[in-house]
Amino acid sequence: VRVDEVERALKSKPQRGKKRENLTVSEKKELTKTRNRMHATKTRIRKKARHDELVECEREYHKLMKEREHEVSRKKNYFRFYGNAHQNSQR
């Protein structure tokens, strides 16, 4: 396998509809394997980035829900305390 030919083929533009006659069968297989390996690596990186993004969104969602629960609880306690005091003063 001529590594320099495979490297050159990797760096060149895609050959749409054209065959790479300057490469041997084993070099073409190596080129395919290398491209596939690169694509798989990029895919895994994108998947991890998306997963991290979703985890961060979920963390933010739970934080907001906790703040909302706290606010609702404060309002309930406020009305429980001041609501009764206000009703008693009107009687």
Side-chain angles (χ1 to χ4, degrees):
V1 176
R2 297 174 296 176
V3 178
D4 56 329
E5 286 293 324
V6 174
E7 295 274 333
R8 192 176 306 123
L10 278 171
K11 293 177 183 174
S12 70
K13 291 183 178 180
Q15 303 293 312
R16 291 196 175 142
K18 298 178 183 176
K19 303 292 180 202
R20 295 183 184 270
E21 271 106 31
N22 61 332
L23 299 178
T24 65
V25 173
S26 62
E27 289 171 339
K28 288 179 186 179
K29 284 183 181 179
E30 183 63 32
L31 177 63
T32 301
K33 281 183 180 180
T34 305
R35 279 198 179 130
N36 188 43
R37 219 176 284 127
M38 291 166 58
H39 178 74
T41 301
K42 287 180 182 181
T43 301
R44 284 191 292 274
I45 290 170
R46 277 196 317 270
K47 181 180 178 181
K48 182 169 177 11
R50 180 68 176 139
H51 178 265
D52 292 346
E53 180 185 346
L54 290 173
V55 167
E56 183 58 35
C57 285
E58 184 181 26
R59 193 175 292 130
E60 185 67 25
Y61 170 78
H62 286 297
K63 179 182 169 190
L64 290 172
M65 289 305 292
K66 203 169 197 177
E67 288 174 3
R68 188 170 183 270
E69 265 181 36
H70 181 69
E71 186 66 27
V72 168
S73 174
R74 279 185 58 236
K75 286 180 180 180
K76 281 182 181 177
N77 289 336
Y78 176 85
F79 285 115
R80 188 179 308 143
F81 180 75
Y82 288 109
N84 290 338
H86 182 68
Q87 287 175 355
N88 291 337
S89 68
Q90 287 182 348
R91 288 184 187 173

